Amino acid sequence: MHLRQIIQRSRNWSVLALLMILVCLGACAPKHTSYSCFYDMPDEGWMENTPISFAPEYGDSAITYDITFSVRHSASYSYGNLNLVLDFIAADGNVDRKNLNFAISDEFGNFKGGGFGDYYQRSQLVVSDVKPDDVSKIVVWPAMTGCKTLTGIHNLGITITPHRK
């Protein structure tokens, strides 16, 4: 075999290897990213008429998304559930109100969810297969009857992920 043929074959293999690497990198690149936002609650607690607002960010306006709501709390939270009112405000100003009864513990008082030490997190899907224009803002209100200030809630958050069919 001549030196020229050897060089030509090694170039062909190099080009092929480079193309394979580029294809693998393209296949591994994320198609649509998710978004999450968590708010720290005041140390003195969440006051009855104090809403928390979220302004979701979407990666692609051509697809639909799922919205998950999360609560991080400590063992000092003294209720078995957390009742919330969620207002989903569309880009055109329409409001879709949902009541969310968020189960924090089971009937025996054992906290649900996971976490380390004194902190626990529970998450729940609240909206599925929604278009970005249908939810441009989320306002969360506490709805615990007879409770003026909720203590033991440390963070409230949302996570937005592309809807998978």
Side-chain angles (χ1 to χ4, degrees):
M1 192 179 285
H2 297 311
L3 182 59
R4 178 173 272 182
Q5 289 176 328
I6 293 172
I7 293 172
Q8 182 62 34
R9 284 187 181 176
S10 68
R11 281 187 189 155
N12 289 344
W13 282 107
S14 297
V15 169
L16 182 61
L18 181 61
L19 285 174
M20 289 176 58
I21 290 171
L22 290 175
V23 167
C24 288
L25 288 175
C28 295
K31 303 295 185 249
H32 303 285
T33 58
S34 63
Y35 165 81
S36 65
C37 178
F38 280 82
Y39 281 105
D40 294 333
M41 302 306 289
D43 291 336
E44 61 274 5
W46 190 10
M47 303 297 285
E48 180 180 32
N49 292 318
T50 308
I52 302 295
S53 296
F54 297 95
E57 295 178 13
Y58 301 94
D60 184 351
S61 62
I63 65 171
T64 60
Y65 292 86
D66 295 336
I67 301 175
T68 302
F69 186 78
S70 299
V71 175
R72 292 180 185 150
H73 64 92
S74 66
S76 66
Y77 184 71
S78 55
Y79 301 97
N81 65 342
L82 175 61
N83 291 317
L84 301 171
V85 173
L86 286 79
D87 290 335
F88 296 93
I89 303 171
D92 63 5
N94 286 331
V95 178
D96 180 21
R97 177 166 279 184
K98 295 187 184 296
N99 292 312
L100 177 62
N101 183 357
F102 207 82
I104 299 292
S105 65
D106 63 17
E107 64 271 13
F108 303 109
N110 299 315
F111 288 121
K112 296 181 176 183
F116 294 103
D118 192 34
Y119 292 95
Y120 301 87
Q121 178 172 325
R122 289 273 294 142
S123 298
Q124 184 172 326
L125 180 68
V126 292
V127 178
S128 180
D129 200 21
V130 67
K131 296 176 184 174
D133 282 346
D134 293 342
V135 180
S136 62
K137 185 175 183 181
I138 302 169
V139 181
V140 182
W141 300 85
M144 298 291 284
T145 305
C147 180
K148 300 288 184 199
T149 304
L150 282 172
T151 57
I153 302 291
H154 296 278
N155 306 99
L156 296 177
I158 61 167
T159 302
I160 297 175
T161 54
H163 178 70
R164 306 237 188 267
K165 297 187 191 267

